[in-house]
Amino acid sequence: QDPRDSSGQKTEFAYQNSWGLTQRTIGVMTMVHGDDKGLVLPPRVAGVQVVIVPVGIRSSMLDSEKSSLEQKVQQYRNRLVQIGIRVKVDNSEKTPGWKFNHWEMKGVPVRL
């Protein structure tokens, strides 16, 4: 109802831009799916659904072993991409524990 209409017959529609709804929805999702250990997003809304963290890499590894590991990682990545999964491979120089924690804090639901 239009509050300025004394007869109470006129209706007026309320308008809201998308920012109010969008920001509130993201805030609610963060509050529901987050904790002190990070954000755990549902796979459908996560920007990255799966992160692949290669482990067991040592400086004493032969180049052929490293190459074999990289090929296997790419095989997994390609298979996941083919079925529509958003995948990232973390080849950074950090330790595996740091990588897993980093991606958990970012809200990636699956760490492989």
Side-chain angles (χ1 to χ4, degrees):
Q1 263 182 335
D2 186 351
R4 295 171 293 210
D5 181 25
S6 60
S7 69
Q9 299 300 316
K10 185 176 176 188
T11 58
E12 188 170 313
F13 295 101
Y15 295 95
Q16 181 177 356
N17 64 17
S18 64
W19 283 102
L21 178 63
T22 305
Q23 289 178 339
R24 288 185 184 110
T25 304
I26 291 171
V28 168
M29 185 177 60
T30 302
M31 289 174 59
V32 169
H33 296 286
D35 60 12
D36 292 341
K37 294 182 180 179
L39 182 63
V40 181
L41 294 173
R44 288 188 179 194
V45 298
V48 176
Q49 294 172 311
V50 176
V51 65
I52 300 174
V53 178
V55 296
I57 301 171
R58 301 176 307 277
S59 59
S60 61
M61 284 180 81
L62 299 173
D63 287 339
S64 61
E65 292 174 322
K66 287 181 185 178
S67 174
S68 175
L69 179 62
E70 287 176 16
Q71 287 177 357
K72 186 56 81 174
V73 166
Q74 287 305 316
Q75 285 177 358
Y76 281 122
R77 182 195 168 281
N78 293 340
R79 290 172 92 185
L80 291 168
V81 167
Q82 284 177 352
I83 60 172
I85 304 288
R86 295 181 295 277
V87 182
K88 177 145 178 78
V89 176
D90 188 345
N91 284 325
S92 66
E93 296 295 321
K94 306 283 187 182
T95 64
W98 188 95
K99 292 177 188 181
F100 282 115
N101 183 59
H102 172 76
W103 291 108
E104 182 178 353
M105 294 294 285
K106 287 200 169 266
V108 176
V110 179
R111 291 159 303 278
L112 177 65

